């Protein structure tokens, strides 16, 4: 199921066109600032801008691999009828005026003042990899370069100031693996995938917390390795081996140091753990909070379970949405209670939505297909206002009705709030010119940053 | 009998083969025999080294056996293979004989198909999107070509000129395995792959002239899902050099990268015209590119470095050497195994990797063998072979082709989309661009976390049946240590290492046969270290009463340490 349907949207504007026509007023101008003021030869990987302008110090991205249906969740259309709504026809009110959610999100409904919904998200790409690439890089798939994902870009730009022991880009718990998340930046910028299960008695973080090897045995082993490393000792002067040795020492700081305590969820109160939900996703959210609390710049939760519901759709939604609802709502309220929401940007979406019209026919028997024409994204904190809806879909959630939001607009806003210059050059190993987001010359569709909620 | 390995090494240490050298650790890695080859290749390399004042040293047999297995078949020698080779007294011929044997092994085709898979971008999914069926067909063709030692010019010509179904005619996938399938993108890929030259560094009109040869490649779907025919489509003449051209009749003016202009005959597939120019023996890029690549693959560094960046302002470090290899390859009618044999049998390939004071100069001029971390696939295969375990390789897109037998080694995986977290973490090529440097063997902390402390590796050491058989063999500890060293490092332990290991297990120290003579464990009659012998004086001072669990843990820790040693992780 990886066919690429790169059909173009007649309604979409090219970025350049948007600028020329000034269709989005001030937003267009702000984009113009960034794009036309093409400051040449920005030093690669310059550190983030002065911290005064940086609202989002950390980011938690909840990625709903497979593509979560928008019409059943955050863009309900109760009037559209069973043909569209299927078994989940009800919308519920929230604590924010005029915002309704699908019936499976009662907990998030109580936190709607803390997040905003983008209901006009669009890229019209229906292939998993290509759409995921678009959503995580902002670049059109199929170019010669494999761009790094947003997490790797954070890792690059935040590393100079981030001094923590935990790697700057952490994935809970399994790496996405369907495309190269670090792109041409190389394996140093690969996310650190924890493995293990945070809902287990002990969260065994792969490589850091090993089963059955207490610290004293770790130390004995390390000493033994030092003695038995005959060739390594003989060639210690080699610069190449010195680099490897440095990396090894960094690893040992995690294995033997106190840094690993961040993964010890037993340090949290039982009631709080219950609030997040005693399931894999709930405890992922709790672990993510602990990670941003100690300053980790970018944390991804790859939703443990897929949303690629071609068939068995409604049963999957009934099973997974309550966990998503519980974990995400607890995360937002907990971040808020601790005063962390202002400096922590949370965003949640899949690579696309799902066909709003239910596939009742065999073999799907009530499933939904890939759908990139319009879908929804939840954003919160880190400089994003809560309680708003940006854009809308039409009556049947099939097309953007108002205010399209393209991948570069969403990612550009995230970068802006994090103080990362979206026009900065990325260090390509061959010196090929590559920037964080596509430049104006690349003619990528844009409708402006999310200034409505920034 | 096993002890003879140790004695042999110790003997070399002591006698130094007539060359008085102190008994340092380097001696287990280096041969006492001075390089004195009269082969033309060695003369060329040595002349350059002499001018730089570098005196190379040959590697020891133990280093050689491991090196040549890893370089030629991407596979670790078994303890028996390593031991047999080290023990073989025929010093004159045994290296050559081993090279010949390895070139005929099945793993030779597996390993080199893997290398070519990187260059030719054999990958079902993102970003080249060959599709599983086609990736398998492409790989099958590449592997078969290597196995039959197809002449290299023929191999390339088939890729450049084939037509037909991507599922049935493997080589047509060369054109499909491109992110940028425009004529320009295709020309750039051909330049990179077969000329070792990066078109982005070319003057613009050179690429434009070459693009014309690839402007008539047609791709059309069939009724079978994702099947596609690649063919010559003369009607596709899109007027690259004549905007008003109508249909196929218009003659196309193309320019070869050397500047020669040609009016393409309307009755001939332009791809053939280009291929014939490319593989002609006087072509300045073709033989040079592959000779340099093979050298770089075996020695860790191109004579032109990087091997896919041949250009005027990146000259070869030893032009004579490169031109000698080119001539040899052409004279052998593009017999790649001839080239392998030539290089592998040279002293230059067999130099020691132990750095000398002028290490950098020496490495750039091939005065020492370049240390390189094992490729991801080779590394996990080696660990699996030692432990008797397997890994699971899958593709995110569930297709029948993605489920591969459990015991299939990683080097034989056809499709770059079929992978494991280990392969990704250790820098396996993403097969997106066909550049050599897409494979990334630079060490990062996350790799160390995995090797030192992951459940994945720990489980293999703890529970792997291959190691269990060694740990629980009931033999004397010295025999177990020797077996572990031969299995993991392909050599017997030194006396110091033996002592260190036994101390860690808290086994009594082996009795020292004579003062100051470090020969390690010995089978000298009457030395009294037979199991159960009463050697009160030297070793049995403390009764050894270690719980079996702790003893097993000690073996696990020792194995763990050897697997995490530089000597295991690197080609050296």
């Amino acid at each position: 199921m990886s066919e690429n349907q790169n059909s173009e949207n007649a309604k979409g504007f090219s970025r350049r066109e948007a600028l020329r026509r000034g269709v989005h007023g001030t937003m267009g101008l702000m984009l113009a600032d960034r794009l036309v003021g093409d400051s040449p030869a920005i030093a690669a990987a310059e550190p983030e801008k002065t911290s005064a302008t940086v609202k989002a110090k950390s980011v938690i991205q909840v990625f709903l691999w497979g593509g979560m249906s928008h019409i059943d969740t955050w863009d309900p259309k109760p009037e559209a009828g069973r043909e569209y709504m299927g078994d989940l026809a009800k919308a519920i009110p929230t604590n924010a005026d005029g915002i309704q959610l699908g019936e499976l999100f009662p907990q998030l409904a109580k936190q709607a003042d803390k997040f905003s919904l983008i209901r006009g998200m669009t890229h019209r790409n229906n292939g998993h990899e290509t759409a995921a690439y678009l959503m995580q890089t902002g670049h059109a798939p199929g170019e010669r370069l494999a761009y790094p994902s947003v997490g790797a870009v954070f890792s690059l730009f935040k590393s100079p100031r981030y001094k923590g022991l935990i790697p700057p880009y952490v994935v809970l718990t399994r790496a996405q693996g369907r495309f190269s998340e670090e792109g041409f930046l190389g394996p140093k910028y690969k996310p650190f995938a924890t493995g293990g299960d945070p809902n287990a008695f002990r969260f065994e973080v792969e490589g850091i917390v090993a089963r059955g090897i207490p610290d004293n045995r770790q130390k004995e082993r390390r000493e033994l390795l030092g003695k038995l490393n005959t060739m390594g000792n003989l060639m210690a002067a080699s610069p190449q081996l010195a680099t490897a040795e440095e990396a090894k020492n960094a690893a040992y700081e995690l294995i033997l140091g106190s840094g690993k305590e961040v993964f010890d969820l037993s340090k949290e109160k039982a009631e709080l753990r219950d609030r997040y939900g005693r399931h894999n996703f709930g405890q992922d959210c709790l672990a993510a909070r602990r990670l941003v609390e100690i300053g980790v710049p970018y944390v991804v939760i790859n939703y443990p379970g897929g949303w690629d519901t071609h068939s068995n759709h409604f049963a999957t939604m009934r099973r997974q949405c309550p966990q998503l609802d519980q974990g995400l709502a607890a995360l937002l309220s907990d971040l808020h209670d601790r005063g962390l929401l202002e400096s922590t940007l949370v965003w949640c979406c899949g690579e696309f939505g799902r066909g709003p019209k239910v596939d009742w026919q065999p073999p799907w028997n009530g499933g939904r297909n890939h759908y990139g024409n319009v879908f929804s994204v939840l954003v919160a904190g880190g400089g994003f206002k809560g309680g708003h809806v940006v854009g809308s879909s039409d009556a049947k959630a099939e097309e953007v009705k108002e205010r399209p939001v393209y991948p570069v607009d969403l990612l550009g806003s995230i970068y802006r709030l994090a103080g990362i210059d979206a026009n900065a050059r990325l260090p390509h190993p061959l010196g090929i010119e590559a920037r964080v987001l596509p430049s104006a010359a690349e003619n990528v569709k844009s409708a402006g940053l999310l200034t409505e909620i920034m | 009998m096993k002890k003879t390995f140790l004695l042999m090494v110790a003997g070399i240490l002591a006698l130094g083969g007539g060359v008085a050298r102190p008994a340092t650790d380097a001696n287990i890695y280096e041969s006492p025999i001075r390089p004195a080859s009269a082969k033309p290749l060695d003369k060329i390399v040595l002349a350059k080294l002499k001018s730089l004042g570098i005196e190379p040293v040959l590697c020891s047999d133990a280093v050689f056996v491991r090196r040549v297995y890893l370089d030629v078949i991407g596979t670790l020698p078994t303890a028996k293979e390593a031991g047999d080779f080290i023990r073989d007294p025929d010093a004159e011929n045994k290296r050559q004989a081993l090279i010949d044997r390895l070139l005929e092994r099945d793993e030779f085709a597996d390993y080199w198909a893997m290398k070519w898979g990187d260059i030719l971008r054999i990958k079902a999914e993102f970003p080249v999107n060959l599709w599983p069926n086609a990736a398998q067909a492409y790989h099958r063709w590449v592997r078969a070509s290597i196995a039959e030692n197809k002449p290299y010019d023929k191999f390339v010509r088939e890729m450049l000129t084939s037509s037909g179904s991507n599922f049935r005619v493997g080589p047509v996938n060369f054109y499909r395995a491109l992110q940028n399938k425009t004529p320009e993108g295709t020309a750039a890929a051909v330049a990179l792959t077969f000329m070792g030259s990066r078109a982005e560094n070319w003057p613009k009109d050179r690429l434009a002239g070459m693009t014309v040869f690839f402007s008539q490649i047609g791709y059309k779907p069939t009724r079978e899902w994702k099947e596609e025919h690649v063919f010559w489509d003369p009607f596709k003449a899109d007027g690259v050099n004549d905007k008003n051209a109508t249909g196929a009749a218009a003659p196309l003016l193309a320019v070869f990268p050397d500047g020669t202009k040609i009016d393409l005959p309307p009755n001939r597939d332009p791809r053939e015209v280009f291929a014939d120019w490319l593989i002609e023996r006087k072509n300045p890029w073709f033989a040079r590119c592959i000779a340099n690549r093979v050298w770089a693959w075996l020695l860790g560094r191109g004579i032109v470095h990087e091997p896919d960046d041949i250009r005027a302002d990146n000259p070869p470090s030893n032009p004579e050497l490169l031109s000698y290899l080119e001539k040899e390859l052409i004279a052998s009618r593009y017999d790649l195994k001839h080239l392998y044999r030539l290089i592998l049998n040279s002293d230059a390939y067999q130099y020691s990797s132990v750095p000398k004071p002028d290490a950098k100069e020496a490495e750039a001029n091939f005065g020492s063998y370049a240390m390189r971390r094992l490729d991801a696939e080779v590394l996990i295969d080696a660990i699996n072979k030692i432990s008797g375990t397997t890994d699971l390789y899958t593709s995110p897109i569930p297709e029948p082709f993605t489920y591969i037998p459990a015991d299939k080694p990683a080097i034989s995986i056809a499709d770059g989309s079929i992978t494991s977290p280990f392969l990704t973490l250790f820098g396996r090529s993403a097969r997106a661009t066909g550049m050599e440097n897409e494979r990334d063997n630079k060490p990062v902390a996350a790799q160390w976390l995995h090797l030192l402390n992951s459940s994945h590796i720990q489980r293999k050491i703890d529970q792997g049946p291959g190691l269990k058989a060694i740990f629980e063999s009931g033999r004397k500890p010295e025999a177990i240590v020797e077996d572990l060293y031969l299995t993991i490092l392909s050599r017997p332990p030194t006396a110091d290492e033996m002592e260190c290991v036994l101390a860690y297990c808290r086994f009594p120290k082996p009795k020292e046969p004579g003062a100051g003579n470090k020969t390690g464990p010995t089978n000298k009659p009457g030395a009294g270290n037979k199991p159960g012998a009463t050697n009160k004086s030297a070793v049995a001072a403390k009764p050894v009463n270690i719980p079996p669990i702790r003893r097993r843990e000690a073996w696990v820790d020792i194995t763990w340490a050897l697997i995490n040693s530089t000597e295991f992780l690197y080609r050296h």
Side-chain angles (χ1 to χ4, degrees):
Chain A
M1 295 287 157
S2 73
E3 72 264 54
N4 307 339
Q5 295 174 6
N6 269 315
S7 62
E8 289 302 308
N9 179 6
K11 276 186 252 167
F13 307 101
S14 79
R15 172 174 284 226
R16 180 175 283 169
E17 201 181 349
L19 291 177
R20 187 173 54 75
R21 290 200 269 167
V23 280
H24 294 293
T26 52
M27 283 177 305
L29 283 176
M30 290 178 67
L31 251 178
D33 281 351
R34 178 159 73 72
L35 296 167
V36 181
D38 189 25
S39 50
I42 297 156
E46 65 180 20
E48 55 186 343
K49 287 186 181 157
T50 49
S51 48
T53 63
V54 177
K55 291 182 178 148
K57 295 202 169 68
S58 295
V59 174
I60 297 173
Q61 179 190 358
V62 179
F63 194 63
L64 307 173
W65 173 258
M68 184 179 76
S69 165
H70 52 295
I71 197 170
D72 302 300
T73 58
W74 301 337
D75 192 10
K77 304 284 179 184
E79 313 295 312
R82 187 166 184 277
E83 206 187 338
Y84 285 82
M85 295 300 288
D87 304 348
L88 292 168
K90 221 174 103 196
I92 57 171
T94 68
N95 72 346
D97 274 351
I99 302 184
Q100 287 196 322
L101 295 179
E103 61 183 282
L104 296 176
F105 292 88
Q107 300 299 324
L108 270 179
K110 293 179 203 158
Q111 308 291 338
D113 56 328
K114 300 190 181 60
F115 63 82
S116 290
L117 290 173
I118 298 164
R119 283 180 173 163
M121 193 71 214
T122 179
H123 53 53
R124 308 192 79 81
N125 186 313
N126 290 342
H128 285 296
E129 286 80 10
T130 42
Y133 180 82
L134 252 173
M135 288 298 287
Q136 309 233 18
T137 68
H139 290 268
E143 293 170 10
R144 173 152 182 200
L145 303 181
Y147 277 87
S149 67
V150 51
V153 171
F154 266 71
S155 180
L156 172 73
F157 285 91
K158 299 284 183 178
S159 289
R161 286 199 187 181
Y162 169 68
K163 295 287 170 248
L165 285 174
I166 305 292
Y169 174 19
V170 177
V171 170
L172 295 158
T173 54
R174 309 257 174 266
Q176 232 236 37
R178 282 188 115 164
F179 60 90
S180 157
E181 283 146 295
E182 71 285 2
F184 55 70
L185 293 182
K188 196 176 159 204
Y189 297 95
K190 198 180 274 301
F192 173 73
T194 62
D197 175 7
N199 194 40
F201 173 69
R202 188 162 176 247
F203 183 11
E204 285 169 347
V205 178
E206 194 61 79
I208 296 180
V209 182
R211 182 177 297 188
I213 306 179
D215 280 2
N216 62 338
R217 188 170 167 205
Q218 287 284 11
K219 285 177 191 148
E220 279 174 20
R221 277 182 162 200
R222 189 183 188 182
E223 206 178 301
L224 178 70
L225 172 56
K227 284 187 198 155
L228 289 185
N229 195 10
T230 308
M231 175 172 275
N233 297 337
L234 181 69
M235 302 195 183
S238 139
Q240 189 196 4
L241 293 185
T243 315
E245 199 59 27
E246 265 169 44
K248 194 207 280 174
N249 291 336
Y252 264 119
E253 283 190 46
L254 275 176
I255 295 171
L256 290 169
S258 60
K260 64 187 175 196
E261 277 171 21
V262 69
F263 296 112
D264 185 357
L265 299 190
S266 71
K267 294 205 174 337
E268 296 287 337
K269 288 201 178 98
E271 306 85 76
L272 185 70
R273 295 192 72 175
D274 293 344
R275 225 171 92 202
Y276 274 90
R278 295 285 186 162
H279 39 77
N280 202 318
F281 176 71
Q283 301 301 304
D284 280 349
C285 288
L286 179 55
R289 193 221 76 211
R290 287 177 63 85
L291 285 164
V292 299
E293 214 167 19
I294 61 161
V296 174
Y298 205 92
V299 181
V300 175
I301 301 172
N302 267 325
Y303 192 90
W307 297 89
D308 196 14
T309 49
H310 289 280
S311 54
N312 209 21
H313 169 81
F314 291 101
T316 309
M317 296 303 275
R318 285 188 190 283
R319 192 179 67 247
Q320 288 189 166
C321 288
Q323 298 193 347
L324 177 65
D325 181 47
Q326 184 180 21
L328 202 50
L331 175 65
L332 294 176
S333 71
D334 193 18
L335 284 172
H336 176 259
D337 294 348
R338 284 163 197 263
L340 286 168
L341 192 57
E342 280 188 13
S343 60
T344 306
L345 192 157
V346 180
W347 65 296
C348 175
C349 62
E351 65 271 36
F352 37 55
R354 298 204 83 79
K357 193 169 179 188
V358 181
D359 295 323
W360 291 113
Q361 77 282 14
W364 316 117
N365 303 318
R368 294 191 190 275
N369 208 336
H370 306 171
Y371 202 76
N373 291 12
V374 66
F375 59 106
S376 301
V377 180
L378 180 150
V379 295
F384 279 129
K385 290 178 200 155
H388 291 262
V389 170
V390 180
S392 61
S393 62
D394 61 15
K396 290 173 175 171
E398 286 176 320
E399 292 294 339
V400 177
K401 187 172 143 206
E402 289 170 320
R403 172 50 161 132
V405 175
Y406 297 96
V408 286
D409 305 330
L410 174 62
L411 295 181
S413 304
I414 293 171
Y415 287 134
R416 160 84 46 111
L417 291 174
I420 292 173
D421 178 2
N423 196 35
R425 230 178 129 167
L426 296 170
H428 189 279
L430 301 175
I432 293 174
E433 174 156 335
R435 292 176 192 268
V436 173
L437 285 180
S439 69
E442 289 171 60
N443 234 357
V444 169
K445 282 182 192 161
S446 166
L449 297 183
L450 298 164
T451 45
E452 301 97 315
I453 52 168
M454 284 162 74
Chain B
M1 23 142 234
K2 282 251 168 64
K3 280 188 188 131
T4 48
F5 307 151
L6 199 73
L7 281 178
M8 263 182 44
V9 171
I12 292 170
L13 291 186
L15 299 173
V19 184
R21 280 212 254 130
T24 62
D25 287 332
N27 293 159
I28 55 174
Y29 303 125
E30 299 191 332
S31 160
I33 299 162
R34 282 186 189 282
S37 155
K39 292 172 184 144
L41 191 162
D42 285 309
K43 281 188 171 163
I44 298 170
V45 173
L46 266 179
K48 181 77 192 273
L49 292 174
K50 204 168 238 174
S51 74
L52 296 164
I54 297 165
E55 274 192 56
V57 179
L58 291 170
C59 69
S60 66
D61 279 347
V63 166
F64 178 78
V65 64
R66 181 188 170 86
R67 179 187 294 178
V68 77
Y69 267 80
L70 291 172
D71 282 346
V72 178
I73 63 172
T75 304
L76 196 68
T78 62
K80 183 173 185 312
E81 285 166 335
D84 284 353
F85 179 81
I86 295 170
R87 210 170 19 203
D88 183 350
D90 184 4
E92 193 83 349
N93 301 309
K94 66 178 179 178
R95 293 193 181 190
Q96 187 183 342
L98 178 59
I99 291 165
D100 287 340
R101 283 201 302 278
L102 291 176
L103 287 172
E104 298 312 314
R105 292 261 296 243
D106 278 351
E107 298 99 318
F108 175 82
D110 290 338
Y111 179 60
W112 292 99
M114 172 190 109
K115 288 278 194 200
W116 277 107
D118 295 352
I119 307 295
L120 299 175
R121 306 160 306 273
I122 306 183
K123 190 176 187 187
E125 308 293 339
F126 186 77
V128 297
N129 296 322
L130 274 176
W131 202 246
N133 227 338
Q136 295 291 334
Y138 195 10
H139 179 266
R140 211 177 304 122
W141 176 82
V142 169
R143 193 189 177 285
S145 301
I146 294 166
E148 68 172 80
N149 196 26
K150 184 179 285 172
Y152 178 69
D153 54 345
K154 189 162 177 243
F155 178 61
V156 173
R157 198 177 192 282
E158 283 177 24
M159 268 185 276
L160 288 180
T161 60
S162 289
S163 295
S165 153
N166 57 340
F167 291 171
R168 286 161 193 86
V169 185
V172 301
N173 287 293
F174 174 80
Y175 290 113
R176 296 184 64 254
L178 297 173
Q179 290 187 68
N180 178 355
K181 294 192 185 65
T182 61
E184 193 171 57
T186 307
V190 170
L192 180 74
T193 314
F194 304 121
M195 296 164 63
S197 184
R198 299 176 186 175
E200 57 256 37
N201 299 330
W202 285 9
K204 277 228 162 69
D205 54 336
R206 189 195 288 175
L207 185 62
M210 178 170 162
T211 294
V212 180
F213 294 103
F214 302 99
S215 62
Q216 297 186 344
I217 304 173
Y219 303 89
K220 73 176 173 215
T222 74
R223 294 183 65 183
E224 193 175 339
W225 199 30
K226 297 286 177 182
E227 190 186 42
E228 188 172 66
H229 275 265
V230 177
F231 64 107
W232 172 34
D233 180 4
F235 297 100
K236 207 180 168 183
D238 57 4
V240 176
N241 56 353
D242 181 0
K243 290 265 179 276
N244 302 317
T246 50
L252 280 175
L253 177 67
V255 188
F256 292 112
D258 62 4
T260 312
K261 292 183 180 144
I262 180 170
D263 274 320
L264 290 173
N267 58 352
R268 213 167 160 224
D269 185 343
R271 297 179 299 163
E272 287 188 5
V273 178
F274 182 84
D276 289 343
W277 168 84
L278 179 71
I279 64 176
E280 215 275 321
R281 54 165 53 211
K282 288 204 187 75
N283 185 294
W285 284 281
F286 186 64
R288 163 156 297 209
C289 168
I290 186 63
N292 187 49
R293 268 198 212 267
V294 171
W295 180 271
W297 286 336
L298 294 174
L299 276 292
R301 187 187 168 93
I303 304 168
V304 175
H305 183 71
E306 312 261 327
D308 50 15
D309 194 13
I310 296 176
R311 60 191 146 85
D313 48 348
N314 183 26
S317 62
N318 188 338
E320 224 187 322
L321 174 61
L322 187 51
S323 95
Y324 170 73
L325 296 175
E326 285 171 45
K327 276 187 209 127
E328 278 288 331
L329 182 64
I330 293 168
S332 72
R333 295 170 193 271
Y334 292 100
D335 175 352
L336 285 180
K337 277 194 183 170
H338 171 73
L339 193 59
Y340 280 97
R341 215 170 253 122
L342 193 71
I343 296 170
L344 294 167
N345 280 298
S346 71
D347 277 2
Y349 172 73
Q350 300 179 16
Y351 288 157
S352 160
S353 58
V354 181
K356 302 291 171 294
D358 41 20
K360 231 179 156 183
E361 278 274 86
E363 206 174 294
N365 291 286
F366 311 109
S368 65
Y369 178 88
M371 300 268 291
R372 286 159 282 161
R373 208 210 65 213
L374 300 187
D375 291 339
E377 298 92 329
V378 176
L379 179 57
I380 193 62
D381 282 351
I383 293 172
N384 283 338
K385 195 167 176 183
I386 290 165
S387 56
T389 57
T390 57
D391 267 42
L392 177 68
Y393 303 105
T394 58
S395 164
I397 310 294
E399 283 293 322
F401 303 99
T402 65
Y403 296 101
I404 60 178
D407 57 350
K408 201 171 158 74
I411 57 164
S412 69
I413 298 172
D415 172 358
S417 292
I418 300 177
T419 190
S420 71
F422 183 96
L423 294 182
T424 314
L425 177 62
F426 283 81
R428 181 196 202 200
S429 170
R431 296 189 175 175
T433 66
M435 312 270 301
E436 293 259 3
N437 62 11
E438 257 197 302
R439 178 175 286 281
D440 195 331
N441 290 355
K442 281 192 290 297
V444 294
Q447 294 169 353
W448 279 114
L449 288 175
H450 195 95
L451 286 170
L452 295 167
N453 206 29
S454 68
S455 62
H456 174 231
I457 300 298
Q458 180 62 24
R459 207 177 304 123
K460 288 178 187 294
I461 302 177
D462 235 3
Q463 295 160 22
L467 287 165
K468 209 169 161 190
I470 299 178
F471 300 157
E472 296 170 7
S473 60
R475 288 172 299 171
K476 285 199 301 179
E478 289 85 347
I480 294 179
V481 179
E482 283 199 7
D483 209 357
L484 284 176
Y485 265 79
L486 273 170
T487 303
I488 300 168
L489 300 184
S490 319
R491 67 165 172 90
T494 66
D496 282 349
E497 288 167 338
M498 176 67 83
E499 194 177 305
C500 174
V501 167
L502 294 179
Y504 189 82
C505 302
R506 286 179 250 161
F507 286 115
K509 231 160 103 174
K511 186 171 159 57
E512 303 207 359
N517 185 3
K518 271 194 175 176
T519 50
T522 167
N523 55 2
K524 224 182 224 177
N529 64 347
K530 270 183 262 162
T534 50
N535 8 336
K536 284 166 198 142
S537 56
V539 288
K542 279 186 214 159
V544 184
N545 194 12
I546 301 161
I549 285 210
R550 167 63 205 145
R551 188 158 289 174
R552 192 169 195 291
E553 269 184 9
W555 287 128
V556 166
D557 289 355
I558 285 152
T559 306
W560 168 92
L562 294 180
I563 283 178
N564 278 288
S565 71
T566 306
E567 196 171 340
F568 176 73
L569 297 173
Y570 282 75
R571 297 198 240 179
H572 52 77

